[in-house]
Amino acid sequence: MTTAPSGLPASLRWDGGTLHLDPRGPAFFEDPYPAYAEMHRHCAFFRWHELDRLAVCGHSLVASLLRDRRFGRILPAASDGRPDYADIPQHLRNFYAIERHSMLDLEPPTHSRIRGLVLKAFVSRQVDRLAPRIEALANGLVDRFAGRGEVELVAGFATPLPVMVIAELIGVDASETAQLLDWSHRMVAMYQFGRTREIEIEADRAAAEFRDFVLGEIAAKRQRPGDDLLSALVRAETEEGKLSEDEMVSTIVLLMNAGHEATVHQIGNGVKTMLENGGANPRRLLADEAQGGRAVEEMLRFDAPLHLFERVALENVELPGGLTVRRGEEVALLLGAANRDPAAYMEPDRFDPARSGPAPVSFGGGIHFCVGAPLARLELRIALRVLFERLPDLRIAAPPRYRDSWHFHGLERLDLAFEPAAVRS
């Protein structure tokens, strides 16, 4: 058994081809990248004892498995691609009632049908048309703290902006955003390592409340449809008969939860990255649209918001190197580690907006590639440009603090200081 070198999490050690590493250890979730570098030195895949499954960190293999149709999100219980949740605990019945119809836990043909409807509604709205509204919302948030000379960015900017944008896109009143955030946080906690029964009970209660809210919104859109995604889904239900009410509820819950969670983290991670690694003038990197787009892609690689995506083998699969993954075996794809793979990127721990190399795997891949990726990129580019244009002398005022949630890698606090600026009239 080999122990981790100095500077790595104390819990990290190797036992042959098995990694021992506590994902809840602060030394890891605050900065997982030294541990990822150690993984790359060891192997592209290995057993992770605490996760109790095979883990893959190599970029090429992660990208391949995201697209490999011999793997899925679930082992379908029926030919329609739905999971079997017949044996779920009673205290999680509401949570899994939503999960059962969620795109995230479906395989074809049901997944293909629902995703096609969402993409049709989502893409047809032409995400770029949202740019002026995103900019106006971002400026409005900056107006709230520009005159103070300080802000805690996660609560003051990174959290409210994405939830307001996704609420408007879906067609939910902005006054509901605080409640939507509460439900989302309680449900997303289900995906963290080492969840407790208390977390499960709260997630189930949130799922029931969220479902009731969405049902009310659906009823309202049936009476008064608008130019929004929920109205488009209602039309698909009533005119085409392609979407059930349960599927509509699950789709809206998923889009709300996923539509802001990762973007909150990426805005925080992106601002921190720019202040620590963007040079003397981060504003310059974001001013030009093309250059800002490259900077955003590098932020998504350098400090991604999602670090874990799980897949399950739908049949026996032999991986490169001769390892066989048995049908039903789960595999942990380490997206954050893959984005720092030295076999894919020169000097992977250096932030370089001009770098070449393969696309980062931050949004996943294959049929489960994030439908909101274009919107997330747009929000990040506009949010950071507005922030650095309005407050060009931004600086970190206290050590940043990450959340105890390794798979969703994001900041809990980012305290910033700046010279007070005039508030726009």
Side-chain angles (χ1 to χ4, degrees), residues 380-423:
L380 183 59
R381 182 170 58 80
I382 293 175
L384 268 64
R385 176 175 56 77
V386 167
L387 197 65
F388 282 98
E389 281 181 354
R390 296 284 306 277
L391 308 169
D393 64 335
L394 271 178
R395 58 192 180 276
I396 296 174
R401 191 168 74 224
Y402 283 88
R403 294 174 58 199
D404 176 8
S405 178
W406 154 66
H407 73 294
F408 274 127
H409 179 64
L411 290 157
E412 186 174 88
R413 287 191 66 90
L414 181 59
D415 292 287
L416 303 178
F418 50 88
E419 289 300 315
V423 177

Side-chain angles (χ1 to χ4, degrees), residues 111-159:
H111 175 274
S112 305
R113 171 173 55 81
I114 297 176
R115 184 180 174 93
L117 289 169
V118 172
L119 280 174
K120 182 180 178 182
F122 209 92
V123 176
S124 67
R125 295 184 57 80
Q126 300 174 338
V127 166
D128 285 346
R129 290 167 48 200
L130 295 171
R133 184 59 181 150
I134 295 171
E135 183 160 357
L137 290 171
N139 273 302
L141 289 169
V142 174
D143 286 342
R144 297 180 185 180
F145 56 79
R148 298 203 308 260
E150 60 181 16
V151 65
E152 194 289 288
L153 192 82
V154 176
F157 187 79
T159 297

Side-chain angles (χ1 to χ4, degrees), residues 153-343:
L153 192 82
V154 176
F157 187 79
T159 297
L161 179 61
V163 74
M164 288 191 293
V165 171
I166 196 65
E168 287 198 12
L169 179 66
I170 288 173
V172 176
D173 194 283
S175 64
E176 302 286 353
T177 54
Q179 182 60 75
L180 294 169
L181 278 170
D182 176 60
W183 287 328
S184 177
H185 290 329
R186 286 153 63 192
M187 291 185 71
V188 169
M190 278 288 288
Y191 302 111
Q192 73 182 44
F193 177 79
R195 73 189 191 209
T196 63
R197 185 180 178 89
E198 181 182 2
I199 286 173
E200 293 180 344
I201 290 171
E202 282 301 310
D204 194 71
R205 184 178 295 121
E209 294 168 359
F210 209 159
R211 174 185 171 81
D212 289 345
F213 170 79
V214 175
L215 286 173
E217 293 295 302
I218 290 171
K221 296 298 182 184
R222 285 180 180 140
Q223 296 298 316
R224 294 181 179 176
D227 184 23
D228 52 64
L229 191 147
L230 181 53
S231 295
L233 295 181
V234 167
R235 285 193 292 273
E237 175 202 37
T238 57
E239 296 174 7
E240 303 175 39
K242 290 184 177 180
L243 198 68
S244 72
E245 188 172 74
D246 285 338
E247 290 169 344
M248 203 182 318
V249 169
S250 295
T251 299
I252 293 302
V253 170
L254 174 63
L255 291 175
M256 278 300 311
N257 289 351
H260 83 275
E261 189 78 24
T263 310
V264 169
H265 301 324
Q266 192 56 67
I267 290 174
N269 294 358
V271 171
K272 175 178 177 288
T273 295
M274 293 297 288
L275 291 175
E276 292 180 339
N277 303 276
N281 188 5
R283 179 182 180 180
R284 177 182 52 81
L285 281 176
L286 300 163
D288 175 76
E289 184 172 337
Q291 189 169 256
R294 291 192 296 271
V296 162
E297 287 305 299
E298 177 66 350
M299 289 176 213
L300 288 165
R301 183 202 70 84
F302 186 79
D303 201 13
L306 181 63
H307 280 215
L308 171 68
F309 193 76
E310 294 183 314
R311 306 275 278 162
V312 61
L314 305 180
E315 59 186 77
N316 292 346
V317 180
E318 185 172 325
L319 297 181
L323 176 66
T324 297
V325 183
R326 300 294 176 187
R327 183 178 186 273
E329 186 176 354
E330 294 180 331
V331 178
L333 303 183
L334 307 182
L335 307 183
N339 285 340
R340 294 284 191 103
D341 185 355

